[in-house]
Amino acid sequence: MRRSVHVGFTGTRRGLTPHQLYELQHLLLNLRVCGARYFHHGDCVGADAEAHDVAKGLGYLVVLHPPDDDSRRAFKAGDELRAPAPYLTRNREIVAQCDVLLAAPATRAERRRSGTWSTVRYAERVGRRTVKLWPAP
């Protein structure tokens, strides 16, 4: 029996641009058709919350990895809830749990003090397949 594919997500708290939203919908639909079943995200306002709604709409089982700081938490209703953890810890847990990481950064230029970019760098360092959804074409 084949193991279900787990998709991870990281994105800016500014939210998704229309282009990123389109790309996310397209990718998640294609991954779902190819057997992806689980969608992991950090349960924060902005891109996480928007991606959550897309994934739920496509029939994914959503796994929440909330931060231990509620100030930016979206409090979405998921199918599974992990224990709250510091941002860096929960971001690494999302990477550890996924087969592919979808990333929606605010800019094309990598930033040092960005949770999204930090997660992307970590995922690439540990050999996780990473797909970047750019803010504009």
Side-chain angles (χ1 to χ4, degrees):
M1 178 187 273
R2 215 170 97 194
R3 182 178 86 78
S4 293
V5 174
H6 290 250
V7 177
F9 180 81
T10 184
T12 174
R13 66 176 164 253
R14 293 184 204 174
L16 299 169
T17 66
H19 181 72
Q20 286 172 318
L21 181 59
Y22 172 82
E23 291 293 319
L24 178 68
Q25 291 167 331
H26 180 75
L27 278 168
L28 286 180
L29 179 59
N30 285 331
L31 287 166
R32 187 77 178 104
V33 168
C34 293
R37 183 158 183 216
Y38 294 92
F39 185 79
H40 298 252
H41 71 82
D43 195 30
C44 279
V45 296
D48 284 354
E50 292 172 283
H52 173 98
D53 294 342
V54 172
K56 286 300 280 182
L58 293 172
Y60 279 84
L61 296 173
V62 177
V63 182
L64 304 174
H65 297 260
D68 60 357
D69 173 2
D70 287 347
S71 67
R72 294 186 181 130
R73 188 162 170 200
F75 292 97
K76 289 299 212 173
D79 298 288
E80 293 181 34
L81 176 65
R82 301 293 193 255
Y87 287 107
L88 182 60
T89 302
R90 69 91 199 246
N91 291 345
R92 289 182 176 202
E93 182 61 23
I94 291 169
V95 170
Q97 295 289 307
C98 74
D99 299 296
V100 59
L101 178 73
L102 305 181
T107 63
R108 285 182 171 264
E110 185 174 330
R111 292 189 176 166
R112 291 314 267 162
R113 297 188 47 80
S114 159
T116 301
W117 279 111
S118 172
T119 305
V120 167
R121 286 190 297 271
Y122 177 73
E124 290 174 343
R125 190 166 53 250
V126 299
R128 192 70 68 236
R129 182 170 177 222
T130 305
V131 178
K132 296 172 191 89
L133 309 172
W134 299 117

